[in-house]
Amino acid sequence: MSFLSTLFPAYAEIFLLVMVSAILIVDLFLTNPNKTVTYALVQLTLLGCSMITVSTHQHGVVYLFHNMFVDDLMSDVLKMLSYLSVSMMLVYSRNYLMVRGLFTGEFMALTLFALLGMMVMISASHFLTLYLGLELLSLSLYAMVALQRDSAIATEAAMKYFILGALASGLLLYGMSMFYGATGTLEVAAVSDAITHGVPNKALLVFGLVFVVSGLAFKLGAVPFHMWVPDVYHGAPTAMTMLIGTAPKLAAFAFVMRILVEGLQPLMVHWSGMLVILAVLSIAVGNITAIAQTNLKRMLAYSTISHMGFLLLGVLSGGIDGYGAAMFYAAVYVLMSLGGFGMIMLLSREGFEADTLNDYKGLNQRSPWLAFVMLLLMFSMAGVPPMVGFYAKFSVLSAVVNAGHIPLAVIAVLFSLIGAFYYLRIVKLMYFDAPESHVPISIQPDSGLLISMNGLAVLALGIMPGTFMSVCAVAVQQSLLLH
Amino acid sequence: MIFGLPVLSVVIWLPIIFGILVLATGNDRNAPLARIIALVGALLGFLVAIPLYTGFDKMTSAMQFVEMRDWITRYNIHYHLGVDGISMLFILLNSFFTPLVVIAGWKVIEKRVAQYMAAFLIMSGLVNGVFASLDAVLFYVFWEAMLIPMFIIIGVWGGPNRVYAAVKFFLYTLLGSLLMLVALLYLYFQSGGSFEILDYHQMAIPMAAQILVFIAFFAAFSVKVPMFPVHTWLPDAHVEAPTGGSVVLAAIMLKVGAYGFIRFSLPITPDASHKLAGVMIALSLIAVVYIGLVALAQSDMKKLVAYSSISHMGFVTLGFFIFNAYGMEGALLQMISHGFVSGALFLCIGVLYDRMHSRQISDYGGVANTMPVFAAFFMLFAMANSGLPGTSGFVGEFMVILGAVKVNFWYAFLAAATLVFGAAYTLWMYKRVIFGAVANHHVAKLTDITLREKFVFVILALTVLGMGLYPLPFSEIMHASVNDLLVHVARSKL
């Protein structure tokens, strides 16, 4: 019993693993094609996880499993946001997947395994734990993209995702092995100590750093390692796109924090320069290429790339301000993306994907409320106040200016001006153009309510952003100071 | 205090709340209800703004009706409101125009009435927020947020080329705003973590930084004013906007840009302002002379008035950058007067457009024969636009020219040219549209203005004449604040 009680920081992960195994078995005995029971169990599991995370929260930092696993405020906040995001994703995609025959027990089990991977990543304090979490997440996602077996485009996307993802994992592992060679340890804190106290072979470290940063950039989808993003976003069924585009970005943020900030802080001069290039290229290429897209999912893919550039800007600015801003940005991005992809699924119906821009023509005449929600989301992504997206950009820019990179801030705002154009185009299509189709929009009550709440949350958080901003800053601060 | 609530908050949020109520009426089946709620909201919005005037202390340049609340503590951002003698007048101007715009769109707007009315009400509240904000981030939020309703107004209810105009309007303004945001962040860190605009007024800033900050502010405000050479969005937006949109653009939006110069550029970067005053004066004079000539060549009435607005706003920026009391007060009076006059002119053109669906001068002629009452009102506003003594247009222009003479005779000489051009393009247009024989059978079938239209014009005519004959109620309010501003501008902050 005493052994079990020492495991309390990992209770949420253990609970999730037990539940997902149970769900996998229970699902075999359920014959209801709508999977109502499985779905309810999954949602209850998420609720249970969040209750466990809240109740096992402790002030300070707790290590477990010989310093391979860490529980701090940042990990708890990120985990809570991940539960919320996955839960919302399931609500949005239930009807969408059901009419396509993809709402299966495997889908839900894989979703939960992906979530488990994210949680392990978020709580990792050892390079191997990080890697294990990342692979669990990635392998679940590869399988999910390929779940629609009869779709050539989905299979192609899965293949591309798998090969490039495997390459990125290889790069990461290779880089990590360099760190092991130079410092003799893979523990995040110990690596940091070893570098601070001086290692004989600094070149080896920087060499390894290049590989690690490249691997990270692959996973984040930062330019020039972004090629998989548009194809995967476009090819995967929208529900999977939503999963790839939301919660894993929170895990990726944690990954960046654990490796670069907690582990390799002494090498900041080296990695921040690399991040500048990645960030500027991502913001530039993402925003410019998005203009040329006619498919909303591809457009959102490029928009994601530019958002990741902004997130990296926050990280490279450093300090509590910068990391807090990046965390806030990641969370806000997830909220907006959920709404954006949710809208695509809401407007889709059997045999019809509402994923080209023209499908949004005249939405204001077909459904003023949905058009208004989409307007809120688009202006938020463009960073126009009073939507919360503005405060995300604001906090990142303020960190950049504080770090003295004013030219970088100017470049970022100029490209977000270009970005504003394609978000505006959606608003233009919805409000100024006449509809092409008059098929009535049928909305499920649960996802309809959720998208309304999602849109209003973007506005409400924009009017009162202070609390959430402070939570992110405090979370980052506690994790960094106490390590 | 109104019903125990602070005045400025009510002035900002009441129109917005009514706007949401109007939206809630839904589709066009409930259009009559939407119109009534909108009118009630707009009138209440004006009524609650009146205590700002009656309770205003003219003797002090300090901020009045101040409200201060924590908003985003992490960045030390406050919900900080207050008005001085300058911003208070613009809040009144804006609140005054909202009911007129609602009335002007009463019959004309037939599709998506609720959204139209709601957009104007929400925008009215947001513009009041711009004028009342004393916190830079709060200011920025209102400043950007007001783009959204304007974008929708131009794009949904505008003319044939409305999409192009709406996008151009939005992107132009956003570009300037984003640069201003970077400047504000720089000031935030320089000031040791404050977003208070009034703190920035006192803060020492080195010359190189002042110039960059000035340029960033210039990018934001010059687009809105608009100054030459970033004025090109205005004719497009004006021409394609519905009448109400044009009125709000001309009467209010342009003033927001000029107000930015007074609240930010001049007091925060006085040394850069002095250093770059030559450039600013040159741009202002180009706007006055060159844009005046451009206006002369227009064949579209709305475009003509749009260019005339740019030319008149050139006068305003000229008044700011000659740094004396005549120039500054003249410029402010000119802003208010231009709000009334250009708003009235756009309403006049709207009256014609609603009947003929054309804005081309060549489609008209001899309107006086069929619409005599309208012709009389149009005459008054045309005269005011050309700066006839006795109308409001005269006071501001005269003072700016007076101020300019003190600085440099040639500034004054060129500025005075606007009086000639202004009279030329306005009256020539008036002549071609109103006088002469009835041009075609469309004009022959015109009916004179209705009671609703008359009501709007009578109010505007009284204001234009009143301000021209007795400008004291306006100028005495701004006196203390203008003097304080001039002291700030004269004091070096290096």
Side-chain angles (χ1 to χ4, degrees), chain A residues 102-312:
Chain A
L102 293 172
F103 199 65
T104 55
E106 295 82 52
F107 163 74
M108 282 178 269
L110 283 171
T111 307
L112 290 186
F113 272 121
L115 177 64
L116 184 61
M118 292 177 222
M119 290 160 72
V120 172
M121 276 168 83
I122 289 170
S123 270
S125 66
H126 191 282
F127 282 12
L128 278 184
T129 329
L130 267 177
Y131 185 75
L132 286 177
L134 179 67
E135 284 306 283
L136 181 56
L137 167 66
S138 303
L139 286 169
S140 311
L141 290 181
Y142 304 148
M144 287 175 78
V145 174
L147 211 54
Q148 197 176 15
R149 276 173 308 177
D150 48 0
S151 159
I153 182 167
T155 316
E156 184 195 327
M159 205 61 200
K160 205 170 245 172
Y161 192 22
F162 175 67
I163 291 174
L164 289 176
L167 179 66
S169 302
L171 288 176
L172 263 178
L173 263 191
Y174 189 55
M176 287 175 183
S177 70
M178 302 280 171
F179 287 122
Y180 187 70
T183 61
T185 175
L186 280 175
E187 258 174 54
V188 168
V191 168
S192 173
D193 281 345
I195 301 173
T196 320
H197 293 117
V199 282
N201 198 344
K202 189 115 191 234
L204 190 63
L205 275 179
V206 178
F207 191 65
L209 184 67
V210 175
F211 284 93
V212 168
V213 169
S214 310
L216 278 176
F218 251 118
K219 294 293 178 190
L220 278 173
V223 178
F225 305 104
H226 67 292
M227 262 73 87
W228 61 274
V229 180
D231 291 332
V232 171
Y233 273 48
H234 182 192
T238 312
M240 319 311 178
T241 312
M242 180 191 255
L243 181 61
I244 296 171
T246 52
K249 305 296 178 198
L250 295 168
F253 166 75
F255 197 100
V256 172
M257 285 297 287
R258 301 287 185 212
I259 287 199
L260 292 186
V261 180
E262 288 173 14
L264 306 176
Q265 184 71 41
L267 297 180
M268 186 170 173
V269 275
H270 298 285
W271 58 254
S272 68
M274 300 181 206
L275 293 195
V276 169
I277 298 172
L278 292 173
V280 169
L281 281 179
S282 299
I283 295 174
V285 173
N287 277 324
I288 291 173
T289 323
I291 293 178
Q293 305 306 317
T294 53
N295 182 294
L296 186 59
K297 277 158 84 180
R298 279 191 100 82
M299 194 200 94
L300 286 177
Y302 283 105
S303 130
T304 302
I305 293 172
S306 76
H307 283 303
M308 288 306 115
F310 256 96
L311 192 150
L312 289 177

Side-chain angles (χ1 to χ4, degrees), chain B residues 360-393:
Chain B
Q360 294 300 317
I361 296 173
S362 54
D363 287 347
Y364 293 88
V367 172
N369 297 307
T370 46
M371 302 176 75
V373 182
F374 169 75
F377 280 116
F378 197 4
M379 170 70 117
L380 173 70
F381 299 130
M383 288 299 181
N385 197 42
S386 32
L388 188 78
T391 63
S392 64

Side-chain angles (χ1 to χ4, degrees), chain B residues 135-154:
Chain B
D135 184 284
V137 174
L138 189 64
F139 173 87
Y140 187 84
V141 168
F142 283 125
W143 169 271
E144 287 267 67
M146 72 185 181
L147 292 181
I148 301 175
M150 199 66 212
F151 176 72
I152 302 283
I153 288 168
I154 299 176

Side-chain angles (χ1 to χ4, degrees), chain A residues 321 364-365 379 385-386 390-391 394-395 397-398 402 406 413-414 417 420 424 428 431-432 463 465 469 473, chain B residues 71-72 74-75 112 115 140-141 144-145 148 151-152 155-156 162-163 170-171 174-175 178 185-186 189 195:
Chain A
D321 271 349
N364 183 35
Q365 290 171 44
F379 277 119
F390 163 70
Y391 299 93
F394 172 86
S395 54
L397 286 176
S398 103
N402 194 21
I406 292 178
V413 300
L414 289 182
L417 175 74
L424 271 187
K428 174 231 154 200
Y431 277 82
F432 305 169
I463 291 167
M469 273 181 169
Chain B
W71 183 27
I72 305 174
R74 160 137 184 77
Y75 289 95
R112 285 174 264 170
Q115 291 185 358
Y140 187 84
V141 168
E144 287 267 67
I148 301 175
F151 176 72
I152 302 283
V156 176
R162 59 192 202 277
V163 174
F170 196 97
L171 291 183
L174 189 61
L175 168 66
L178 286 169
L185 287 169
Y186 168 81
F189 288 109
F195 274 117

